[in-house]
Amino acid sequence: MLRKTWTSLVLLVLCCWSAQSYSAAVAEKVFADYADALLQIKVLEHASGAKSAIGSGFLLHDSDLVVTNYHVVSEAVLFPQKYQLEFLAQNQQKGALEIVAVDVVNDLALLKTDYKAAKSFQLQQQTPVQGATVYSLGNPHDLGLIVVPGTYNGLQKHSFYPRIHFTGAINSGMSGGPAVNDAGEVIGVNVASAGNDLGFLVPAAALKALLEKAVVADLKLDIQQQLIGNQQRMFQQVLEADWQLKNFGPATVPDEIVPFIRCWGMSNVEKDKDDIKRVNAFCNQPEEIFLSSEFSTGRIEMQFEWVQAKDLHPLQFFRRYQFSISQMNADNSAGEDDVTAFSCQNQLLSPVEGQHAKAIFCIRAYRNYPQLFDVAYISASMDHQQQGVISHFTLAGVDQQIALEFSRKFIGAVVWQ
Amino acid sequence: MAVIVEVLNKQQKVTERHKFLQHQVRLGRAFDNDVILFNKHVCPYHALLQQDEEGYWWLEDLSSVNGSFVSGRKAVVAKEPLRSGEICWLGEQALRLYDDAHPVADTLPFSVMGQRLQAMGHWAFILLFALILAADQVVEIWLTLPKQLEQLWPARLLEIPRNLLLFCIWPAILALWSRFNQQESHFLPQLSLTYAAVAASALWGGICYWLGFNLDGSSVAQVVEVVGYTVILFALFSGNFWLATHWSLRAQTALALAVALLATSGQWASLLTPPSPFDRSLRYDPRILPLPFYLGQGKTMQQYEQDLQQLFEQVEQKRQDKDKE
């Protein structure tokens, strides 16, 4: 019995040892085979000649195409007069790059180069199995090309955008590098990290779709169409869903209406001394679409607050209540050249007979992407002297029709019982 | 024929007035002069005023250390003629000479306005305005102080007398200014006027709160609010200047308007400047009162959506306008 245990223990140790050394050996081979096809991508400012962004990229198939992230090269896409692209190969060869196509939703960019590598990357045809070892390649913090072994953990849950969950350290500068399997086939493109060995990859399927797409003349128009198409897909799900409502104090409010919108809550009810009790619920679709370093879009956020007073005069209550609706902020960042200023409409709304709410609706338009708006809405119910429900949402990058349909459905969902 | 000698200060305001029947008036620091001057740069026997046979007056310098001067700062070498109403200087001490036939300005009649303003100085008015002010502050504390901070009531109430005292500074400055210009100080009327204006502002604030809520925070309500504050301040400063100065009505009005606009310039600026896109916090009017305070009808969902469509059109227009620039 004892001997058996020993044997199995020794076998286990041997297994682990060999697995580790096996993975190290593969990593070494992958790196040796493909180091040639890995490039560092630099965005250079014309005027100063200094680099303003760096990332990784890789040669795909036997073509002259380099793959990287859109967020690495966004400046050169949006301001071609101001920025240019340059690659640096492992053998210190340098050269120019040209933008062919971008996919802002999946954060991908295709570039053209005259650089030739002995061996370039291929896309993997089947999805890997959960737990498979994946090697992420890139150039973190401009420290030189490295390989990071990690684990494939399927697609990220509760995410609208398909992203591969990669357990391994992806660091800044590795963006745009490939993540490959044992055979050196690309399963995804490094895109983001949530710290602590939690990385995300854009699946190869999105890259395949971009490769198959027809060449476009106007990149900005193409970006606008991608944004419109994406928000239509997202809101089709949101608007067609049968919204799950939850009880929230005296009213009902929307809950996790689609899988990619998650909700949290908190309150101050345990603080007995406060003359106002506040219960908060918060839902969002937190993933943003990167457009430029100061402009992002694509988020959905909903917030609810149940404010309840005890023994306050109505005038006292409403003054405190006002404080809860006095500060509403945009949920996404945008620069002066990206959007107009917010315009607001302020109204006393009676969505249902006998129910009243003060509703404030603010929008701003995207300057370079017509038909797209950021929307912010907040309303405070007014039918009670000692309590009220505040409901708030922000939508980033939606068109007028979706904004109105969402508002209608949202206002209809926040009902006093 | 008598002669009047006025001793003037640096601002050329009269500090002494002497009347002489003789033909010669001695000027200097020594005590046996006819007009005894204080200024240290004046000699004990500095100058002489003398009337000739034809009745004209002459200023004669008695070889003084710092000299004597007539209008235009012309130095007196031996003696210079002086006409009625002219200023002369002994060193830097200014004097003015009048003969008794010199015309005087018309009598200033009592004005209704001036009398009313002065009547406001009655303590009953001051008390009334101070009470309104105090009541407004008590209401504000009552509205905003949370129950869990109830122990702060005494501290907050003590702010009221402090604020009332603070509002005394402005009338005190005006009173000193009047005094300096050798006019009546009118401190109590000025104080009453100031309290009245602050009380009116407080009441106006309350009315505008209600108005803003009823007009759904439209820009009309905001403009009316700022115009109201400007009018109140304009009235205050007009009254202040009426009591404190003898300027022409036009000068008083112009200055009062200028000061009122200056005092409300911040509000005007925030009203007139377009919001910046860098501003992540949105600009809107969050004022809310219990439903019975709302006179209108709530919008139905259908009307609301029509309004929102208009909003989208406006913003789209704004985007295109900026593109054209």
Side-chain angles (χ1 to χ4, degrees), chain A residues 275 311 316 319-320 322 325 330 342-343 346 348 350 367 408, chain B residues 140 142-143 145 147 209 216 280 282 284-285 299 305 318-319:
Chain A
D275 54 0
D311 310 329
Q316 285 178 307
R319 178 58 84 89
R320 288 157 172 74
Q322 177 192 319
I325 58 166
F342 268 107
S343 294
N346 193 332
L348 197 99
S350 177
R367 286 201 190 289
R408 193 183 306 137
Chain B
E140 186 61 29
W142 176 73
L143 279 177
L145 196 69
K147 278 249 166 66
Y209 197 102
D216 297 321
R280 279 190 75 235
L282 311 184
Y284 57 90
D285 188 348
K299 292 246 161 113
E305 278 184 32
K318 248 194 229 174
R319 187 184 77 84

PDB file of all heavy atoms in Angstrom, chain A residues 275 311 316 319-320 322 325 330 342-343 346 348 350 367 408, chain B residues 140 142-143 145 147 209 216 280 282 284-285 299 305 318-319:
ATOM      1  N   ASP A 275     -31.421  60.342   8.561  1.00  0.00           N
ATOM      2  CA  ASP A 275     -32.846  60.593   8.405  1.00  0.00           C
ATOM      3  C   ASP A 275     -33.329  60.199   7.011  1.00  0.00           C
ATOM      4  O   ASP A 275     -34.502  60.244   6.721  1.00  0.00           O
ATOM      5  CB  ASP A 275     -33.191  62.052   8.713  1.00  0.00           C
ATOM      6  CG  ASP A 275     -32.364  63.015   7.904  1.00  0.00           C
ATOM      7  OD1 ASP A 275     -31.516  62.546   7.110  1.00  0.00           O
ATOM      8  OD2 ASP A 275     -32.539  64.222   8.050  1.00  0.00           O
ATOM      9  N   ASP A 311     -40.255  61.002   9.054  1.00  0.00           N
ATOM     10  CA  ASP A 311     -40.581  62.217   9.808  1.00  0.00           C
ATOM     11  C   ASP A 311     -39.914  63.467   9.251  1.00  0.00           C
ATOM     12  O   ASP A 311     -39.421  64.297  10.004  1.00  0.00           O
ATOM     13  CB  ASP A 311     -40.163  62.073  11.287  1.00  0.00           C
ATOM     14  CG  ASP A 311     -40.676  60.792  11.878  1.00  0.00           C
ATOM     15  OD1 ASP A 311     -41.758  60.349  11.439  1.00  0.00           O
ATOM     16  OD2 ASP A 311     -39.993  60.225  12.743  1.00  0.00           O
ATOM     17  N   GLN A 316     -38.498  69.500   3.245  1.00  0.00           N
ATOM     18  CA  GLN A 316     -37.175  69.019   3.680  1.00  0.00           C
ATOM     19  C   GLN A 316     -36.763  67.809   2.866  1.00  0.00           C
ATOM     20  O   GLN A 316     -35.625  67.700   2.407  1.00  0.00           O
ATOM     21  CB  GLN A 316     -37.215  68.628   5.166  1.00  0.00           C
ATOM     22  CG  GLN A 316     -37.226  69.784   6.114  1.00  0.00           C
ATOM     23  CD  GLN A 316     -37.325  69.292   7.546  1.00  0.00           C
ATOM     24  OE1 GLN A 316     -38.214  68.522   7.881  1.00  0.00           O
ATOM     25  NE2 GLN A 316     -36.420  69.733   8.390  1.00  0.00           N
ATOM     26  N   ARG A 319     -35.735  68.700  -0.734  1.00  0.00           N
ATOM     27  CA  ARG A 319     -34.437  69.352  -0.853  1.00  0.00           C
ATOM     28  C   ARG A 319     -33.317  68.304  -0.830  1.00  0.00           C
ATOM     29  O   ARG A 319     -32.364  68.366  -1.606  1.00  0.00           O
ATOM     30  CB  ARG A 319     -34.267  70.362   0.279  1.00  0.00           C
ATOM     31  CG  ARG A 319     -32.912  71.060   0.276  1.00  0.00           C
ATOM     32  CD  ARG A 319     -32.643  71.798  -1.021  1.00  0.00           C
ATOM     33  NE  ARG A 319     -33.226  73.109  -1.035  1.00  0.00           N
ATOM     34  CZ  ARG A 319     -32.631  74.203  -0.597  1.00  0.00           C
ATOM     35  NH1 ARG A 319     -31.414  74.135  -0.131  1.00  0.00           N
ATOM     36  NH2 ARG A 319     -33.237  75.353  -0.642  1.00  0.00           N
ATOM     37  N   ARG A 320     -33.470  67.301   0.053  1.00  0.00           N
ATOM     38  CA  ARG A 320     -32.460  66.234   0.110  1.00  0.00           C
ATOM     39  C   ARG A 320     -32.529  65.361  -1.132  1.00  0.00           C
ATOM     40  O   ARG A 320     -31.512  64.886  -1.649  1.00  0.00           O
ATOM     41  CB  ARG A 320     -32.688  65.378   1.354  1.00  0.00           C
ATOM     42  CG  ARG A 320     -32.305  66.079   2.645  1.00  0.00           C
ATOM     43  CD  ARG A 320     -33.068  65.444   3.791  1.00  0.00           C
ATOM     44  NE  ARG A 320     -32.659  65.896   5.109  1.00  0.00           N
ATOM     45  CZ  ARG A 320     -32.944  67.077   5.624  1.00  0.00           C
ATOM     46  NH1 ARG A 320     -33.624  67.953   4.909  1.00  0.00           N
ATOM     47  NH2 ARG A 320     -32.554  67.399   6.833  1.00  0.00           N
ATOM     48  N   GLN A 322     -33.429  66.303  -4.079  1.00  0.00           N
ATOM     49  CA  GLN A 322     -32.851  67.037  -5.207  1.00  0.00           C
ATOM     50  C   GLN A 322     -31.363  66.761  -5.333  1.00  0.00           C
ATOM     51  O   GLN A 322     -30.828  66.656  -6.428  1.00  0.00           O
ATOM     52  CB  GLN A 322     -33.079  68.527  -4.998  1.00  0.00           C
ATOM     53  CG  GLN A 322     -32.456  69.364  -6.084  1.00  0.00           C
ATOM     54  CD  GLN A 322     -32.448  70.816  -5.706  1.00  0.00           C
ATOM     55  OE1 GLN A 322     -33.406  71.324  -5.149  1.00  0.00           O
ATOM     56  NE2 GLN A 322     -31.357  71.491  -6.009  1.00  0.00           N
ATOM     57  N   ILE A 325     -30.327  63.994  -7.620  1.00  0.00           N
ATOM     58  CA  ILE A 325     -30.410  64.109  -9.080  1.00  0.00           C
ATOM     59  C   ILE A 325     -29.586  65.278  -9.597  1.00  0.00           C
ATOM     60  O   ILE A 325     -29.624  65.608 -10.774  1.00  0.00           O
ATOM     61  CB  ILE A 325     -31.866  64.264  -9.586  1.00  0.00           C
ATOM     62  CG1 ILE A 325     -32.538  65.483  -8.953  1.00  0.00           C
ATOM     63  CG2 ILE A 325     -32.672  63.016  -9.342  1.00  0.00           C
ATOM     64  CD1 ILE A 325     -33.814  65.873  -9.663  1.00  0.00           C
ATOM     65  N   ALA A 330     -21.338  62.097 -17.682  1.00  0.00           N
ATOM     66  CA  ALA A 330     -21.217  61.214 -18.841  1.00  0.00           C
ATOM     67  C   ALA A 330     -20.417  59.984 -18.410  1.00  0.00           C
ATOM     68  O   ALA A 330     -19.548  60.065 -17.550  1.00  0.00           O
ATOM     69  CB  ALA A 330     -20.515  61.937 -19.967  1.00  0.00           C
ATOM     70  N   PHE A 342     -23.144  68.634 -24.232  1.00  0.00           N
ATOM     71  CA  PHE A 342     -24.439  68.031 -23.923  1.00  0.00           C
ATOM     72  C   PHE A 342     -25.539  69.090 -23.986  1.00  0.00           C
ATOM     73  O   PHE A 342     -25.368  70.214 -23.514  1.00  0.00           O
ATOM     74  CB  PHE A 342     -24.416  67.444 -22.508  1.00  0.00           C
ATOM     75  CG  PHE A 342     -24.007  65.999 -22.468  1.00  0.00           C
ATOM     76  CD1 PHE A 342     -22.769  65.623 -22.003  1.00  0.00           C
ATOM     77  CD2 PHE A 342     -24.883  65.015 -22.886  1.00  0.00           C
ATOM     78  CE1 PHE A 342     -22.391  64.285 -21.952  1.00  0.00           C
ATOM     79  CE2 PHE A 342     -24.522  63.677 -22.846  1.00  0.00           C
ATOM     80  CZ  PHE A 342     -23.272  63.310 -22.381  1.00  0.00           C
ATOM     81  N   SER A 343     -26.680  68.713 -24.554  1.00  0.00           N
ATOM     82  CA  SER A 343     -27.885  69.540 -24.467  1.00  0.00           C
ATOM     83  C   SER A 343     -28.904  68.751 -23.678  1.00  0.00           C
ATOM     84  O   SER A 343     -29.055  67.550 -23.893  1.00  0.00           O
ATOM     85  CB  SER A 343     -28.447  69.822 -25.850  1.00  0.00           C
ATOM     86  OG  SER A 343     -27.547  70.603 -26.565  1.00  0.00           O
ATOM     87  N   ASN A 346     -35.572  69.069 -19.824  1.00  0.00           N
ATOM     88  CA  ASN A 346     -35.983  68.912 -18.444  1.00  0.00           C
ATOM     89  C   ASN A 346     -37.499  68.943 -18.438  1.00  0.00           C
ATOM     90  O   ASN A 346     -38.087  69.898 -18.906  1.00  0.00           O
ATOM     91  CB  ASN A 346     -35.407  70.137 -17.719  1.00  0.00           C
ATOM     92  CG  ASN A 346     -35.445  70.026 -16.250  1.00  0.00           C
ATOM     93  OD1 ASN A 346     -36.311  69.347 -15.703  1.00  0.00           O
ATOM     94  ND2 ASN A 346     -34.521  70.698 -15.596  1.00  0.00           N
ATOM     95  N   LEU A 348     -41.523  67.511 -16.654  1.00  0.00           N
ATOM     96  CA  LEU A 348     -42.313  66.746 -15.707  1.00  0.00           C
ATOM     97  C   LEU A 348     -43.103  65.740 -16.540  1.00  0.00           C
ATOM     98  O   LEU A 348     -43.916  66.105 -17.370  1.00  0.00           O
ATOM     99  CB  LEU A 348     -43.252  67.635 -14.917  1.00  0.00           C
ATOM    100  CG  LEU A 348     -43.739  66.893 -13.684  1.00  0.00           C
ATOM    101  CD1 LEU A 348     -42.933  67.321 -12.476  1.00  0.00           C
ATOM    102  CD2 LEU A 348     -45.196  67.111 -13.433  1.00  0.00           C
ATOM    103  N   SER A 350     -45.432  62.299 -17.087  1.00  0.00           N
ATOM    104  CA  SER A 350     -46.459  61.464 -16.475  1.00  0.00           C
ATOM    105  C   SER A 350     -46.638  60.236 -17.368  1.00  0.00           C
ATOM    106  O   SER A 350     -47.534  60.196 -18.209  1.00  0.00           O
ATOM    107  CB  SER A 350     -47.755  62.259 -16.352  1.00  0.00           C
ATOM    108  OG  SER A 350     -48.761  61.447 -15.828  1.00  0.00           O
ATOM    109  N   ARG A 367     -19.049  64.099 -33.437  1.00  0.00           N
ATOM    110  CA  ARG A 367     -18.737  64.998 -34.546  1.00  0.00           C
ATOM    111  C   ARG A 367     -18.329  64.252 -35.811  1.00  0.00           C
ATOM    112  O   ARG A 367     -18.740  64.608 -36.908  1.00  0.00           O
ATOM    113  CB  ARG A 367     -17.597  65.926 -34.145  1.00  0.00           C
ATOM    114  CG  ARG A 367     -18.019  67.000 -33.193  1.00  0.00           C
ATOM    115  CD  ARG A 367     -17.039  68.153 -33.243  1.00  0.00           C
ATOM    116  NE  ARG A 367     -17.320  69.074 -32.164  1.00  0.00           N
ATOM    117  CZ  ARG A 367     -18.398  69.857 -32.132  1.00  0.00           C
ATOM    118  NH1 ARG A 367     -19.282  69.816 -33.121  1.00  0.00           N
ATOM    119  NH2 ARG A 367     -18.592  70.670 -31.120  1.00  0.00           N
ATOM    120  N   ARG A 408     -38.076  54.454 -23.900  1.00  0.00           N
ATOM    121  CA  ARG A 408     -39.476  54.070 -23.716  1.00  0.00           C
ATOM    122  C   ARG A 408     -39.555  52.813 -22.855  1.00  0.00           C
ATOM    123  O   ARG A 408     -40.316  52.736 -21.897  1.00  0.00           O
ATOM    124  CB  ARG A 408     -40.108  53.814 -25.080  1.00  0.00           C
ATOM    125  CG  ARG A 408     -41.618  53.719 -25.027  1.00  0.00           C
ATOM    126  CD  ARG A 408     -42.179  53.391 -26.402  1.00  0.00           C
ATOM    127  NE  ARG A 408     -41.731  54.331 -27.420  1.00  0.00           N
ATOM    128  CZ  ARG A 408     -41.327  53.971 -28.643  1.00  0.00           C
ATOM    129  NH1 ARG A 408     -41.324  52.699 -28.994  1.00  0.00           N
ATOM    130  NH2 ARG A 408     -40.936  54.876 -29.510  1.00  0.00           N
TER     131      ARG A 408
ATOM    132  N   GLU B 140     -33.472  77.927   5.584  1.00  0.00           N
ATOM    133  CA  GLU B 140     -32.422  77.230   4.842  1.00  0.00           C
ATOM    134  C   GLU B 140     -31.774  76.150   5.711  1.00  0.00           C
ATOM    135  O   GLU B 140     -31.540  75.025   5.264  1.00  0.00           O
ATOM    136  CB  GLU B 140     -31.379  78.257   4.367  1.00  0.00           C
ATOM    137  CG  GLU B 140     -30.299  77.709   3.467  1.00  0.00           C
ATOM    138  CD  GLU B 140     -30.838  77.132   2.172  1.00  0.00           C
ATOM    139  OE1 GLU B 140     -31.887  77.593   1.694  1.00  0.00           O
ATOM    140  OE2 GLU B 140     -30.205  76.177   1.639  1.00  0.00           O
ATOM    141  N   TRP B 142     -33.157  74.693   8.304  1.00  0.00           N
ATOM    142  CA  TRP B 142     -34.189  73.675   8.535  1.00  0.00           C
ATOM    143  C   TRP B 142     -34.302  72.727   7.335  1.00  0.00           C
ATOM    144  O   TRP B 142     -34.465  71.533   7.476  1.00  0.00           O
ATOM    145  CB  TRP B 142     -35.521  74.382   8.806  1.00  0.00           C
ATOM    146  CG  TRP B 142     -36.693  73.477   8.963  1.00  0.00           C
ATOM    147  CD1 TRP B 142     -36.983  72.673  10.022  1.00  0.00           C
ATOM    148  CD2 TRP B 142     -37.737  73.266   8.004  1.00  0.00           C
ATOM    149  NE1 TRP B 142     -38.141  71.987   9.796  1.00  0.00           N
ATOM    150  CE2 TRP B 142     -38.631  72.331   8.571  1.00  0.00           C
ATOM    151  CE3 TRP B 142     -38.021  73.787   6.737  1.00  0.00           C
ATOM    152  CZ2 TRP B 142     -39.773  71.895   7.910  1.00  0.00           C
ATOM    153  CZ3 TRP B 142     -39.157  73.372   6.083  1.00  0.00           C
ATOM    154  CH2 TRP B 142     -40.023  72.430   6.660  1.00  0.00           C
ATOM    155  N   LEU B 143     -34.178  73.312   6.121  1.00  0.00           N
ATOM    156  CA  LEU B 143     -34.321  72.491   4.923  1.00  0.00           C
ATOM    157  C   LEU B 143     -33.132  71.552   4.719  1.00  0.00           C
ATOM    158  O   LEU B 143     -33.283  70.464   4.199  1.00  0.00           O
ATOM    159  CB  LEU B 143     -34.450  73.386   3.681  1.00  0.00           C
ATOM    160  CG  LEU B 143     -35.825  73.982   3.399  1.00  0.00           C
ATOM    161  CD1 LEU B 143     -35.748  74.891   2.191  1.00  0.00           C
ATOM    162  CD2 LEU B 143     -36.840  72.889   3.146  1.00  0.00           C
ATOM    163  N   LEU B 145     -30.254  70.857   7.063  1.00  0.00           N
ATOM    164  CA  LEU B 145     -29.471  70.203   8.117  1.00  0.00           C
ATOM    165  C   LEU B 145     -30.000  68.798   8.382  1.00  0.00           C
ATOM    166  O   LEU B 145     -31.169  68.636   8.734  1.00  0.00           O
ATOM    167  CB  LEU B 145     -29.533  71.042   9.400  1.00  0.00           C
ATOM    168  CG  LEU B 145     -28.465  70.680  10.434  1.00  0.00           C
ATOM    169  CD1 LEU B 145     -27.087  71.078   9.954  1.00  0.00           C
ATOM    170  CD2 LEU B 145     -28.772  71.346  11.760  1.00  0.00           C
ATOM    171  N   LYS B 147     -30.861  65.224  10.133  1.00  0.00           N
ATOM    172  CA  LYS B 147     -31.261  64.902  11.512  1.00  0.00           C
ATOM    173  C   LYS B 147     -30.060  64.459  12.344  1.00  0.00           C
ATOM    174  O   LYS B 147     -29.940  64.797  13.512  1.00  0.00           O
ATOM    175  CB  LYS B 147     -32.289  63.766  11.499  1.00  0.00           C
ATOM    176  CG  LYS B 147     -33.699  64.216  11.217  1.00  0.00           C
ATOM    177  CD  LYS B 147     -34.600  64.075  12.444  1.00  0.00           C
ATOM    178  CE  LYS B 147     -35.894  64.837  12.268  1.00  0.00           C
ATOM    179  NZ  LYS B 147     -36.745  64.268  11.201  1.00  0.00           N
ATOM    180  N   TYR B 209     -36.841  79.673  -7.454  1.00  0.00           N
ATOM    181  CA  TYR B 209     -36.779  78.228  -7.247  1.00  0.00           C
ATOM    182  C   TYR B 209     -38.076  77.593  -7.734  1.00  0.00           C
ATOM    183  O   TYR B 209     -38.091  76.634  -8.508  1.00  0.00           O
ATOM    184  CB  TYR B 209     -36.575  77.956  -5.751  1.00  0.00           C
ATOM    185  CG  TYR B 209     -36.090  76.580  -5.430  1.00  0.00           C
ATOM    186  CD1 TYR B 209     -34.756  76.359  -5.128  1.00  0.00           C
ATOM    187  CD2 TYR B 209     -36.955  75.499  -5.424  1.00  0.00           C
ATOM    188  CE1 TYR B 209     -34.298  75.095  -4.826  1.00  0.00           C
ATOM    189  CE2 TYR B 209     -36.506  74.236  -5.131  1.00  0.00           C
ATOM    190  CZ  TYR B 209     -35.176  74.036  -4.828  1.00  0.00           C
ATOM    191  OH  TYR B 209     -34.723  72.792  -4.538  1.00  0.00           O
ATOM    192  N   ASP B 216     -39.809  74.013 -15.876  1.00  0.00           N
ATOM    193  CA  ASP B 216     -38.949  72.888 -16.248  1.00  0.00           C
ATOM    194  C   ASP B 216     -37.520  73.342 -16.523  1.00  0.00           C
ATOM    195  O   ASP B 216     -36.894  72.899 -17.501  1.00  0.00           O
ATOM    196  CB  ASP B 216     -39.511  72.149 -17.466  1.00  0.00           C
ATOM    197  CG  ASP B 216     -40.872  71.546 -17.159  1.00  0.00           C
ATOM    198  OD1 ASP B 216     -41.043  71.046 -16.043  1.00  0.00           O
ATOM    199  OD2 ASP B 216     -41.753  71.590 -18.037  1.00  0.00           O
ATOM    200  N   ARG B 280     -17.439  67.244 -17.982  1.00  0.00           N
ATOM    201  CA  ARG B 280     -18.097  65.940 -17.967  1.00  0.00           C
ATOM    202  C   ARG B 280     -19.420  65.983 -17.207  1.00  0.00           C
ATOM    203  O   ARG B 280     -20.312  65.211 -17.467  1.00  0.00           O
ATOM    204  CB  ARG B 280     -17.170  64.874 -17.360  1.00  0.00           C
ATOM    205  CG  ARG B 280     -16.158  64.351 -18.365  1.00  0.00           C
ATOM    206  CD  ARG B 280     -15.421  63.145 -17.839  1.00  0.00           C
ATOM    207  NE  ARG B 280     -16.238  61.952 -17.870  1.00  0.00           N
ATOM    208  CZ  ARG B 280     -16.479  61.197 -16.809  1.00  0.00           C
ATOM    209  NH1 ARG B 280     -15.996  61.531 -15.649  1.00  0.00           N
ATOM    210  NH2 ARG B 280     -17.214  60.126 -16.915  1.00  0.00           N
ATOM    211  N   LEU B 282     -22.995  67.366 -16.430  1.00  0.00           N
ATOM    212  CA  LEU B 282     -23.951  67.965 -17.356  1.00  0.00           C
ATOM    213  C   LEU B 282     -24.610  69.173 -16.715  1.00  0.00           C
ATOM    214  O   LEU B 282     -24.786  69.225 -15.512  1.00  0.00           O
ATOM    215  CB  LEU B 282     -25.013  66.930 -17.709  1.00  0.00           C
ATOM    216  CG  LEU B 282     -24.448  65.586 -18.130  1.00  0.00           C
ATOM    217  CD1 LEU B 282     -25.552  64.658 -18.562  1.00  0.00           C
ATOM    218  CD2 LEU B 282     -23.481  65.765 -19.268  1.00  0.00           C
ATOM    219  N   TYR B 284     -27.840  71.159 -16.116  1.00  0.00           N
ATOM    220  CA  TYR B 284     -29.296  71.179 -16.167  1.00  0.00           C
ATOM    221  C   TYR B 284     -29.798  71.676 -14.821  1.00  0.00           C
ATOM    222  O   TYR B 284     -29.028  71.825 -13.882  1.00  0.00           O
ATOM    223  CB  TYR B 284     -29.849  69.788 -16.495  1.00  0.00           C
ATOM    224  CG  TYR B 284     -29.413  68.705 -15.534  1.00  0.00           C
ATOM    225  CD1 TYR B 284     -30.172  68.413 -14.409  1.00  0.00           C
ATOM    226  CD2 TYR B 284     -28.236  67.992 -15.731  1.00  0.00           C
ATOM    227  CE1 TYR B 284     -29.765  67.438 -13.520  1.00  0.00           C
ATOM    228  CE2 TYR B 284     -27.826  67.023 -14.844  1.00  0.00           C
ATOM    229  CZ  TYR B 284     -28.595  66.752 -13.738  1.00  0.00           C
ATOM    230  OH  TYR B 284     -28.184  65.796 -12.855  1.00  0.00           O
ATOM    231  N   ASP B 285     -31.089  71.938 -14.752  1.00  0.00           N
ATOM    232  CA  ASP B 285     -31.659  72.495 -13.534  1.00  0.00           C
ATOM    233  C   ASP B 285     -32.306  71.368 -12.737  1.00  0.00           C
ATOM    234  O   ASP B 285     -33.337  70.847 -13.130  1.00  0.00           O
ATOM    235  CB  ASP B 285     -32.700  73.549 -13.936  1.00  0.00           C
ATOM    236  CG  ASP B 285     -33.197  74.310 -12.730  1.00  0.00           C
ATOM    237  OD1 ASP B 285     -32.914  73.875 -11.607  1.00  0.00           O
ATOM    238  OD2 ASP B 285     -33.861  75.342 -12.931  1.00  0.00           O
ATOM    239  N   LYS B 299     -46.207  65.751 -18.822  1.00  0.00           N
ATOM    240  CA  LYS B 299     -46.263  65.345 -20.240  1.00  0.00           C
ATOM    241  C   LYS B 299     -46.551  63.850 -20.334  1.00  0.00           C
ATOM    242  O   LYS B 299     -46.021  63.067 -19.552  1.00  0.00           O
ATOM    243  CB  LYS B 299     -44.907  65.624 -20.894  1.00  0.00           C
ATOM    244  CG  LYS B 299     -44.610  67.091 -21.021  1.00  0.00           C
ATOM    245  CD  LYS B 299     -44.564  67.495 -22.475  1.00  0.00           C
ATOM    246  CE  LYS B 299     -44.736  68.990 -22.632  1.00  0.00           C
ATOM    247  NZ  LYS B 299     -43.596  69.671 -23.118  1.00  0.00           N
ATOM    248  N   GLU B 305     -41.828  61.984 -26.107  1.00  0.00           N
ATOM    249  CA  GLU B 305     -40.979  61.483 -27.198  1.00  0.00           C
ATOM    250  C   GLU B 305     -40.879  62.482 -28.339  1.00  0.00           C
ATOM    251  O   GLU B 305     -39.843  62.593 -28.988  1.00  0.00           O
ATOM    252  CB  GLU B 305     -41.496  60.139 -27.694  1.00  0.00           C
ATOM    253  CG  GLU B 305     -41.004  59.019 -26.792  1.00  0.00           C
ATOM    254  CD  GLU B 305     -41.402  57.643 -27.285  1.00  0.00           C
ATOM    255  OE1 GLU B 305     -41.498  57.450 -28.507  1.00  0.00           O
ATOM    256  OE2 GLU B 305     -41.632  56.771 -26.428  1.00  0.00           O
ATOM    257  N   LYS B 318     -26.593  71.460 -34.288  1.00  0.00           N
ATOM    258  CA  LYS B 318     -25.400  72.010 -33.647  1.00  0.00           C
ATOM    259  C   LYS B 318     -24.133  71.367 -34.207  1.00  0.00           C
ATOM    260  O   LYS B 318     -23.143  72.031 -34.456  1.00  0.00           O
ATOM    261  CB  LYS B 318     -25.453  71.714 -32.144  1.00  0.00           C
ATOM    262  CG  LYS B 318     -25.628  72.932 -31.279  1.00  0.00           C
ATOM    263  CD  LYS B 318     -25.321  72.559 -29.858  1.00  0.00           C
ATOM    264  CE  LYS B 318     -26.377  73.021 -28.906  1.00  0.00           C
ATOM    265  NZ  LYS B 318     -26.141  72.542 -27.548  1.00  0.00           N
ATOM    266  N   ARG B 319     -24.204  70.043 -34.390  1.00  0.00           N
ATOM    267  CA  ARG B 319     -23.048  69.310 -34.902  1.00  0.00           C
ATOM    268  C   ARG B 319     -22.702  69.813 -36.301  1.00  0.00           C
ATOM    269  O   ARG B 319     -21.543  70.077 -36.618  1.00  0.00           O
ATOM    270  CB  ARG B 319     -23.375  67.816 -34.960  1.00  0.00           C
ATOM    271  CG  ARG B 319     -22.207  66.937 -35.314  1.00  0.00           C
ATOM    272  CD  ARG B 319     -22.653  65.499 -35.448  1.00  0.00           C
ATOM    273  NE  ARG B 319     -23.342  65.272 -36.700  1.00  0.00           N
ATOM    274  CZ  ARG B 319     -22.739  65.010 -37.854  1.00  0.00           C
ATOM    275  NH1 ARG B 319     -21.443  64.941 -37.896  1.00  0.00           N
ATOM    276  NH2 ARG B 319     -23.427  64.828 -38.961  1.00  0.00           N
TER     277      ARG B 319
END
